[in-house]
Structures are given as structure tokens and as C-alpha cells.
Amino acid sequence: MRRFASSQTFIMNSPVAVQTGKLSRGFLLACLVAAAAQFLSDHYGAPAMLMALLIGIAFNFMATDARCAPGLEMTSRTVLRAGVALLGFRLSIADLSALGFRSFAVVIGLMALTIGFGIVMAPLLKRRWRFGLLTGGSVAICGASAALAISALLPKGKQLEQDTLFTVVAVTALSTLAMIFYPVLFGLLGLTDAQSGFLIGATIHDVAQVIGAGYSIDEAAGNIATIIKLQRVMMLPLVLLVVILVSGEGSAGSLRLPGFVIAFLGCFALNSTGLVSESLAALAATLSGWLLLIAISALGVRTSLAAVFNLGPRHLLLIVAETVFLLVMALGSVVSREWWKLEGGVISG
């Protein structure tokens, strides 16, 4: 018995066990925050990502605790990358075939212009151009998820964590406001349901808010908004490749894709083959959502609210400017010519 107790003590005090214990405490704290955020989202309709950030910030005092810090760092990076990789199961090439080429080309053009606008405007507002790339990408593609994916590729640092947290909070808040006001705005402008559905899908940042705004008009508008939004999300792999090239982490001559980007592309390709059952793809997509929620919870715990406020109004001004720019460009593309028609609840070019 004494020999068994001695062996047990040795195992528990081994370097591997000690390191595992440190990692697990921070990870479990992030899981607890994520579960609370999801509860608030399910029962009160609050955005889960935003709730995870706010609750995480309340536990910021744990970020410096030696028992939790390693696990929180691992969760905000490794778990984040696993969640981004599994995002590939939410997408397939078949989604692209639902719409005609013209609408897809317009969506790509809007995304490219918005990201370029962010990169150009950031230095003018005395912000780093990489912050413009981060915010422009999140506004152009899919809000918080895109911000996390792009952040995972940018050079690491405390400033990046604060920028990422700020971006997620800002795009989530702006998406919620857009979900409420955009349908009203488009109605006042006298736009058709098809036009409103396209604009909602092309301009609102987060998927959940796109669905909420689109179906608040009618089913046809909701269908159009959802498909247009999926087209934007489909461009995430291409944007990630661009980020690698322009962020200083890679070069056009020797491009080395991070493992999680390769995994993302693999999941996307596998899901496009039709070999993955709908139930399995749905399970992977759900797991991806939870991993991203846990990762953003850890990021929230690691970030001080005071540090976020110290970023200054120019951070918020840039994201608002990008949002308005995208809206104005999308409106211009809709009212300039009738390049779509409504057929069976979707747009075709």
C-alpha cells in the first residue's frame, strides 16, 4: 500500500501531470464562461460571443493566476485554431451553385473593397494597417468568426489580443443594431423583398443576425439573405491566404500554410464531396461553434477592460466606417441596375 501511494504521488507530481493540471484549470474556466454565455443566448436571445466576452472580462483577475494562465493561453490559441478548422464543415461548393455568377461577383467585389478600405483607413486614423486588415476582414466576411480566424494568423502579441477582443465586441454590437434597423431602413427606401434580402446578406456581419433580419421581412428575403451570407463565408479560405501573404508570416515565393488552415480547407473539400452525412457535418459545425465560444471566453478572461478602453475612439471609428462603407457600396450595387431576379426564393444571375 505504501509503495502504491508513493507511485501515485510520483505520477501526480510528474512534470507532465503538473503541466496538464495547469492547462486544464484555464480550459475549464473558459468552458464555464462559455456555458454561461450559451445559457444566456438560449434563454434570453443575447449574442453568445458577446456574452462570453463580457463574462470573461469579469474574470480577468484569474488571467494572472499561475494555476490558470497557461490553460487560458492554450485555449485562446490552440482551441481557437481547432474551431476555425472545423468551420470548413459549415461550407460546401454546392452552396455557391445556388446563386448565379453575377451576384457572386458582386459579393466578392464588396468584400475586396471593404478589406481594402480598412487597410487604407487604418493608418489615416493612426492605427496599424494590420488592425485595418483584421476589422475589414471581420466586417466583410462573417463578423466574430472571421476576426478570430484572421487573428490566429497575425503576429502574436498583447496588442493583437486587445485588438481582437475589441473587434469581436464591436462587430457583434453593430450586427445586433443592423438586425434591428436595416429591415426598417430598406423598407423606408422602398426596396423589394429580394433587394432587402440581398442587402441584409451582403452587409450584416454575423450569420445569426443575418438570419434574424432576413426572416423578419419574409421567408423569401430570409432565404436570399442566408445564401448571400454563405457566399461571404465561403470566401474565408481565400482571405486567410491573403492574410498569410500580406501579414509578414509568409511570402508569395514560399507560402507555408498553418496546419489549421490546411485542416479548414480539408474539411471544406470533404464536406463538398457529399460523402459526409448531414448529421455528421452538423455535429462538426456545432463542435466548431463551441470551440470558438470557449476560445473567445478565454480571450475575454485574458483581456483587461481598462486596456480595451485605452485603445481610443479611433478603433471604433474605423469599424463603424467600414460598416457604413459596405452598406453604401451594397446599396449602390442594388439600385444601380436590376441584375437579379427572384426565382423560387433565391437569386439567380
Side-chain angles (χ1 to χ4, degrees):
M1 180 66 70
R2 183 175 299 174
R3 181 178 300 174
F4 173 77
S6 177
S7 300
Q8 187 180 31
T9 302
F10 172 77
I11 293 174
M12 294 179 64
N13 292 329
S14 65
V16 174
V18 171
Q19 183 63 22
T20 301
K22 289 182 178 180
L23 293 177
S24 64
R25 289 187 182 96
F27 175 71
L28 289 175
L29 174 59
C31 289
L32 179 62
V33 173
Q38 191 61 51
F39 176 86
L40 292 174
S41 177
D42 292 340
H43 290 79
Y44 301 100
M49 285 283 188
L50 182 59
M51 292 299 100
L53 285 171
L54 296 179
I55 297 172
I57 289 172
F59 286 90
N60 177 249
F61 63 92
M62 298 293 293
T64 56
D65 191 313
R67 296 169 297 180
C68 294
L72 290 170
E73 181 177 1
M74 180 274 297
T75 303
S76 63
R77 293 185 180 180
T78 305
V79 174
L80 166 64
R81 296 185 173 198
V84 171
L86 290 177
L87 275 175
F89 282 107
R90 296 186 182 185
L91 312 170
S92 71
I93 293 178
D95 295 324
L96 292 179
S97 63
L99 292 174
F101 173 76
R102 292 180 182 177
S103 62
F104 187 45
V106 171
V107 169
I108 294 176
L110 291 174
M111 288 176 48
L113 288 172
T114 302
I115 295 174
F117 177 80
I119 294 175
V120 171
M121 284 296 297
L124 298 180
L125 293 172
K126 298 183 179 179
R127 304 293 94 175
R128 298 176 305 160
W129 68 268
R130 285 192 179 94
F131 180 64
L133 176 62
L134 174 66
T135 57
S138 65
V139 168
I141 307 173
C142 52
S145 297
L148 294 173
I150 294 171
S151 174
L153 289 173
L154 295 175
K156 301 298 177 288
K158 190 64 177 178
Q159 184 63 47
L160 175 63
E161 291 184 357
Q162 295 174 1
D163 288 347
T164 304
L165 175 65
F166 186 90
T167 301
V168 171
V169 172
V171 295
T172 303
L174 289 173
S175 288
T176 303
L177 291 174
M179 178 181 64
I180 298 171
F181 293 109
Y182 278 14
V184 177
L185 172 63
F186 300 151
L188 292 175
L189 293 176
L191 301 179
T192 66
D193 291 346
Q195 291 172 322
S196 297
F198 174 84
L199 288 171
I200 286 171
T203 58
I204 296 182
H205 312 322
D206 289 319
V207 176
Q209 282 84 343
V210 166
I211 294 174
Y215 286 104
S216 69
I217 297 175
D218 64 13
E219 184 175 355
N223 292 341
I224 294 170
T226 301
I227 295 174
I228 293 295
K229 183 59 182 178
L230 285 177
Q231 286 193 333
R232 293 167 66 192
V233 178
M234 288 286 293
M235 291 298 99
L236 183 57
L238 178 60
V239 172
L240 293 180
L241 293 179
V242 173
V243 171
I244 294 172
L245 289 173
V246 304
S247 67
E249 298 296 284
S251 64
S254 59
L255 177 60
R256 294 184 178 180
L257 296 179
F260 79 96
V261 176
I262 297 175
F264 176 95
L265 295 174
C267 292
F268 166 71
L270 182 61
N271 197 44
S272 298
T273 63
L275 299 176
V276 180
S277 65
E278 291 185 6
S279 58
L280 183 58
L283 178 62
T286 300
L287 178 59
S288 170
W290 272 106
L291 291 177
L292 292 176
L293 190 62
I294 292 170
I296 200 64
S297 298
L299 182 61
V301 174
R302 297 184 67 198
T303 305
S304 167
L305 189 60
V308 174
F309 285 143
N310 287 336
L311 293 175
R314 289 189 178 91
H315 264 56
L316 180 59
L317 180 59
L318 177 60
I319 297 180
V320 171
E322 291 165 345
T323 300
V324 173
F325 176 82
L326 177 59
L327 175 61
V328 171
M329 294 300 295
L331 276 170
S333 72
V334 165
V335 301
S336 61
R337 59 181 296 196
E338 295 284 339
W339 49 264
W340 67 90
K341 58 183 176 179
L342 186 62
E343 292 183 354
V346 299
I347 296 176
S348 63

